[in-house]
Amino acid sequence: MIDMKDVSKVYENGAMALDHVNVHIDKGEFVFIVGASGAGKSTFIRMLFREVLPSDGSLIVNGQDVVHMDHSDVPYLRRGLGVIFQDYRLLPDKTVTENVAFAMQVIEAPRRKIQHSVNAVLDIVGLRDKYKCFPSQLSGGEQQRVAIARAIVNHPALVIADEPTGNLDPETSWDIMDIFKRINADGTTIVMATHDKGIVDAMKRRVIAIEDGHIVRDEAQGVYGYEN
Amino acid sequence: MKISTGEYIIRETMLSLKRNSWMSFASIGTVAVSLFVFGMFLILVVNMNRMTDSLESQVEISVYVKDEVNEGGIRTLEERITAMQGIESVKFVDREKAMERFRDRLGDQQFLLDALGDTNPLPNSFEVRVIRPDMVRTAAEAIAELPGVETAKYGQDVVEHLFDITRLVRLFGLALMFVLALATLFIISNTIRLTVFARRKEVAIMKYVGATDWFIRWPFLLEGVVLGCLGGIVAALVLRGAYRVIAAKIYDTLTFFPLIPENPFLHYVTAAILVCGMGIGALGSTISLKKFLKA
């Protein structure tokens, strides 16, 4: 699913965010990316959906060569991915249904399919009864569930989550993790950057630790390994 | 493009125009003012061109014939001038007719001629017109070479001045139009930039979920075109009204003034304004989106 070889990233200001990183992630894996702020976690995550381009090395995501891709092919790479952020990034003037449907509208899906798929994912995240609400009427956890619904509505092979529980209390975080687990159980690969020691330690999934742009640890059933 | 996508684009455009109604209003106003001035100069330049053309074409060569040339010689001369290149018309004016005209022109001061008694000092002459104003000089020079011709004169200075003035007006008009086009472009691209900025989150999400650049671009492009078009309509309506009023005034007082008639001239001007407005609107949006879509 992800094949990162010798990837480095040097920003224009000269900062080296990643230094010859090699990672291979198989289809169906659930991977945590951990590390302190500024360690290169965010760069790693943003490279996967080509918001950041590697300065050096090769990167294959979902069978597509991210480095040598034409600018015009980027949308098609992203259609195979679902992206989730810490701040949800919902559209405030659209309802729950509209926010989720938006992801299908912009890739020009047929209307009937949109309705069907939106209802299905709202069931998965448990928000079917709040479909008419606006984001401002929802709690943080509910908003993040809408964001997850939007990310998975196009059936991506890979879900990328950047600190999805960063703004949530522990109990709500666990609700979100339950949804991720279910999505993963259906065969979707999940790569999640997090600071949440409790979650990482309890989930017992693969953990990749990044420090100063290097991978310092890659364990199949790892723990967070830092003191929060 | 799918029908639902078309609907989406139109809905988004209308929504955005409504949401930023004050900004939209302001930019339509600015576009209208710019296009009005643009149209005004267009009308002015075209009318000036027309006027100088018509003045230029009225410039005649006066060919004075030597007194010793007899009637047969005059006829030969007329034939030879008519046969020359670029000659539109040749009209013979005999000395009696010339005297008559002179008398008429003097009006109240005809007594001045009394001193002449019965003698007529005016020569026989031809009034020669050329097809194009720029042929006047060569034609006059060639005619002066003919046997039996005393001199061939035309308003050299007047023609040269007319050429200079016309050139200056055209140049000034073009320069002003260019500056105004740039200003309008700037205004529209700024308005669209604000719209894009207001919707940057939406655009960012569109990019994350895999919308193509064109899908993102369309509503903004359409918004720019609509702004340009609405501004153009306002400008065109005002200009048409103004031209009608001014033309009516001019016809009342200066009947000989070669003003271009309203139809179909005003239709062309309207079309030019609308095309410019929409083109500038589209270009303005493209400019402000270019940087935004790159990332």
Side-chain angles (χ1 to χ4, degrees):
Chain A
M1 182 54 62
I2 296 169
D3 201 18
M4 197 180 266
K5 280 192 184 130
D6 247 2
V7 165
S8 300
K9 177 63 192 180
V10 183
Y11 284 105
E12 272 169 26
N13 62 11
M16 187 132 192
L18 289 178
D19 189 3
H20 297 281
V21 170
N22 289 284
V23 171
H24 182 88
I25 294 173
D26 277 324
K27 187 170 163 28
E29 277 195 82
F30 195 131
V31 183
F32 287 113
I33 311 293
V34 300
S37 303
K41 250 180 6 225
S42 188
T43 301
F44 181 95
I45 287 282
R46 286 163 70 197
M47 263 181 191
L48 300 181
F49 54 97
R50 204 177 184 271
E51 194 170 64
V52 172
L53 256 180
S55 314
D56 200 17
S58 79
L59 174 58
I60 309 289
V61 175
N62 201 11
Q64 293 173 77
D65 186 338
V66 171
V67 181
H68 300 104
M69 178 175 278
D70 269 356
H71 177 73
S72 59
D73 287 333
V74 175
Y76 302 96
L77 166 77
R78 290 181 182 165
R79 287 176 192 194
L81 313 174
V83 190
I84 296 155
F85 301 92
Q86 181 173 3
D87 54 358
Y88 327 131
R89 304 200 183 171
L90 302 176
L91 294 168
D93 53 354
K94 283 181 159 56
T95 64
V96 168
T97 304
E98 286 165 351
N99 262 290
V100 178
F102 187 69
M104 295 187 82
Q105 267 168 12
V106 301
I107 63 167
E108 302 185 64
R111 207 176 309 205
R112 278 178 64 183
K113 194 180 162 198
I114 292 181
Q115 203 166 18
H116 180 259
S117 301
V118 170
N119 287 340
V121 287
L122 285 182
D123 276 342
I124 294 176
V125 300
L127 279 179
R128 185 77 181 259
D129 52 333
K130 298 214 167 174
Y131 72 102
K132 263 187 176 170
C133 294
F134 286 92
S136 57
Q137 298 168 305
L138 300 174
S139 69
E142 285 167 335
Q143 289 187 52
Q144 191 60 294
R145 272 143 70 182
V146 178
I148 294 171
R150 183 180 64 195
I152 62 171
V153 76
N154 288 321
H155 304 289
L158 170 65
V159 167
I160 301 158
D162 193 1
E163 313 253 3
T165 59
N167 286 354
L168 305 175
D169 60 65
E171 200 178 326
T172 316
S173 296
W174 274 112
D175 291 343
I176 298 294
M177 290 318 294
D178 275 339
I179 296 170
F180 278 129
K181 267 198 246 173
R182 285 213 300 278
I183 298 166
N184 180 241
D186 284 342
T188 307
T189 313
I190 292 179
V191 176
M192 174 172 157
T194 186
H195 272 127
D196 197 323
K197 178 174 161 53
I199 284 173
V200 176
D201 289 350
M203 293 275 288
K204 295 194 168 55
R205 301 293 181 124
R206 181 174 171 191
V207 175
I208 295 173
I210 300 179
E211 243 174 70
D212 292 330
H214 298 273
I215 290 185
V216 291
R217 188 155 55 89
D218 186 348
E219 296 165 340
Q221 288 187 338
V223 290
Y224 189 76
Y226 300 92
E227 289 309 315
N228 260 356
Chain B
M1 194 191 295
K2 291 184 178 162
I3 295 170
S4 57
T5 305
E7 273 173 29
Y8 161 83
I9 288 165
I10 291 166
R11 202 174 52 237
E12 288 299 309
T13 303
M14 292 308 148
L15 206 71
S16 174
L17 284 170
K18 215 164 76 185
R19 190 158 33 196
N20 309 314
S21 53
W22 274 108
M23 202 56 223
S24 304
F25 186 72
S27 48
I28 289 170
T30 341
V31 171
V33 170
S34 300
L35 285 175
F36 174 78
V37 179
F38 162 78
M40 205 173 67
F41 257 81
L42 191 69
I43 288 175
L44 195 69
V45 166
V46 174
N47 264 304
M48 281 291 280
N49 277 347
R50 162 100 167 217
M51 193 171 75
T52 41
D53 276 355
S54 95
L55 283 178
E56 278 164 7
S57 67
Q58 281 167 23
V59 171
E60 288 177 341
I61 306 170
S62 299
V63 182
Y64 298 109
V65 183
K66 285 180 180 159
D67 282 344
E68 65 264 26
V69 180
N70 59 19
E71 225 171 280
I74 286 171
R75 203 157 302 136
T76 330
L77 206 54
E78 184 169 4
E79 278 162 18
R80 289 188 69 174
I81 294 173
T82 312
M84 287 170 77
Q85 250 192 345
I87 302 298
E88 192 182 75
S89 67
V90 179
K91 195 175 150 203
F92 178 68
V93 181
D94 67 27
R95 42 195 310 186
E96 279 74 33
K97 181 93 188 270
M99 194 61 191
E100 214 173 289
R101 276 198 205 167
F102 192 38
R103 211 181 280 279
D104 281 352
R105 211 184 300 169
L106 284 176
D108 292 346
Q109 296 167 309
Q110 281 184 17
F111 64 88
L112 289 171
L113 291 173
D114 294 346
L116 288 171
D118 281 340
T119 53
N120 180 355
L122 298 177
N124 288 318
S125 65
F126 291 107
E127 286 172 355
V128 178
R129 287 194 175 187
V130 290
I131 295 168
R132 284 207 326 266
D134 56 346
M135 291 171 167
V136 170
R137 183 199 292 265
T138 38
E141 278 166 7
I143 292 168
E145 298 291 308
L146 294 174
V149 171
E150 180 81 48
T151 51
K153 284 187 174 170
Y154 64 98
Q156 276 102 331
D157 294 349
V158 176
V159 170
E160 301 287 302
H161 271 129
L162 269 177
F163 277 137
D164 284 349
I165 291 171
T166 316
R167 210 174 299 134
L168 213 68
V169 170
R170 276 176 203 167
L171 221 69
F172 182 68
L174 277 176
L176 197 76
M177 278 180 207
F178 181 73
V179 172
L180 281 172
L182 279 187
T184 315
L185 201 63
F186 179 76
I187 290 158
I188 291 198
S189 77
N190 255 338
T191 307
I192 300 293
R193 200 189 311 253
L194 282 177
T195 315
V196 176
F197 188 74
R199 294 178 56 191
R200 64 194 183 285
K201 279 185 178 172
E202 208 170 322
V203 173
I205 292 167
M206 285 164 99
K207 288 206 272 186
Y208 290 137
V209 297
T212 58
D213 280 358
W214 269 108
F215 188 90
I216 298 173
R217 197 179 279 136
W218 269 116
F220 296 109
L221 205 61
L222 195 65
E223 188 176 342
V225 171
V226 168
L227 288 177
C229 189
L230 288 177
I233 288 173
V234 173
L237 285 177
V238 175
L239 262 181
R240 291 178 78 110
Y243 193 76
R244 253 171 225 155
V245 172
I246 291 170
K249 282 243 164 80
I250 286 179
Y251 283 133
D252 278 352
T253 49
L254 307 162
T255 23
F256 60 89
F257 201 81
L259 204 64
I260 299 173
E262 276 172 30
N263 288 316
F265 177 57
L266 283 188
H267 296 323
Y268 295 146
V269 172
T270 305
I273 286 177
L274 290 185
V275 167
C276 280
M278 291 192 287
I280 285 176
L283 197 64
S285 328
T286 312
I287 291 171
S288 48
L289 275 172
K290 198 168 179 193
K291 220 174 133 189
F292 207 79
L293 287 177
K294 260 277 148 59

